[in-house]
Amino acid sequence: MKRYKWGILTIILVILITCIGMIIRINVLFPNAKVITYTSDNPADLDGLIIKPVNYKVYTMEEYSEISSRYKNIQGEKADKSRVVVLNILLKNTTEDIITYYPSGNMVIEKLHARNGVTLQEPDKMTVTVMPGEELEVGLHAYIGPSQLDYKLFDKIDSSTVTFVYSYYPYRQRIVFNK
């Protein structure tokens, strides 16, 4: 009977050591992402396309329906518990080539743990074409509904840091917006 207890204990110990070794190996192979922050004073440069944050604004669904028809179907209680965050960025092409920019990333409010993907504010466009030497101001919008953030926390958005995260690994690259 003692022999079985020692055998089971040995098997459990081998499994435990193997699991710990695998966790350490994964953490060595894939360390935490390095955070790189861009601001209006230090804009992001994506292969010659400068992306500079301008500002952001939080809209109620009623306010947003006055400037866009994108969320006209959201009404009533759901509209009261939803917001749209518009991130305005300045794109500048510093190359001699035509650049087609596709906004890929998430609007993140880190303090409140809210996030959602962004798209161009113009409903019929998926990309922006920036000619050599051209500067364009572009609006990106992100919908925030009950599944992204509790509606009771909407008044805390303006006192939180709003970012546009466009890369998560191996570098977490984020653009920080000011009100």
Side-chain angles (χ1 to χ4, degrees), residues 18-57:
T18 303
C19 289
I20 291 171
M22 291 173 71
I23 291 170
I24 291 171
R25 181 175 180 264
I26 288 172
N27 286 327
V28 168
L29 290 174
F30 304 103
N32 289 338
K34 181 181 176 187
V35 177
I36 300 173
T37 301
Y38 299 104
T39 62
S40 58
D41 296 330
N42 177 31
D45 185 350
L46 297 177
D47 299 325
L49 181 67
I50 306 295
I51 304 174
K52 182 178 182 180
V54 177
N55 60 21
Y56 75 92
K57 184 167 180 0

Side-chain angles (χ1 to χ4, degrees), residues 15 25 38 47 52 61 157 167-168:
I15 291 172
R25 181 175 180 264
Y38 299 104
D47 299 325
K52 182 178 182 180
M61 297 310 282
I157 293 174
S167 174
Y168 281 94

Side-chain angles (χ1 to χ4, degrees), residues 2-15:
K2 269 189 170 182
R3 203 168 65 189
Y4 291 119
K5 287 181 183 179
W6 283 107
I8 292 173
L9 185 61
T10 303
I11 291 171
I12 291 173
L13 190 59
V14 167
I15 291 172

